[in-house]
Amino acid sequence: MMGSEGRLKDMDEDFRESLKDYITARVGSAGQHVRRDQHGKLLTGTQLAAKIKNLSDVMKKHRSGFSSPCQVPSLPLT
């Protein structure tokens, strides 16, 4: 990128092409990243975000003493 604004016109051609390829690949694979609730029902992005926020709030409230996300046991997103 040549400029500091992040505008397409400030980016060189190779970067724009790489960015286009990256975005196309991400959008094309979106269907592979479907999330379901504990009953197998599809979740919308809004519902998934609410579940993640709820889990975060519970974890903040209960101060589990984990120093890393890798130490957290698997918890259902209910």
Side-chain angles (χ1 to χ4, degrees):
M1 187 168 111
M2 304 295 191
S4 61
E5 297 292 321
R7 295 178 297 221
L8 285 175
K9 70 179 186 174
D10 295 333
M11 299 173 197
D12 67 17
E13 185 64 29
D14 288 338
F15 184 83
R16 281 196 305 263
E17 284 301 313
S18 294
L19 181 61
K20 178 181 150 193
D21 292 343
Y22 175 79
I23 291 171
T24 300
R26 296 293 64 95
V27 170
S29 69
Q32 298 172 5
H33 305 288
V34 174
R35 297 293 179 244
R36 297 177 183 271
D37 67 9
Q38 65 270 24
H39 305 291
K41 185 177 175 186
L42 292 175
L43 293 173
T44 65
T46 301
Q47 291 168 326
L48 180 58
K51 288 185 177 294
I52 291 169
K53 181 176 181 339
N54 182 43
L55 179 59
S56 174
D57 291 344
V58 167
M59 291 178 75
K60 285 177 190 174
K61 188 188 314 182
H62 294 289
R63 300 275 181 209
S64 60
F66 298 110
S67 61
S68 165
C70 296
Q71 295 174 329
V72 177
S74 179
L75 299 173
L77 292 175
T78 57

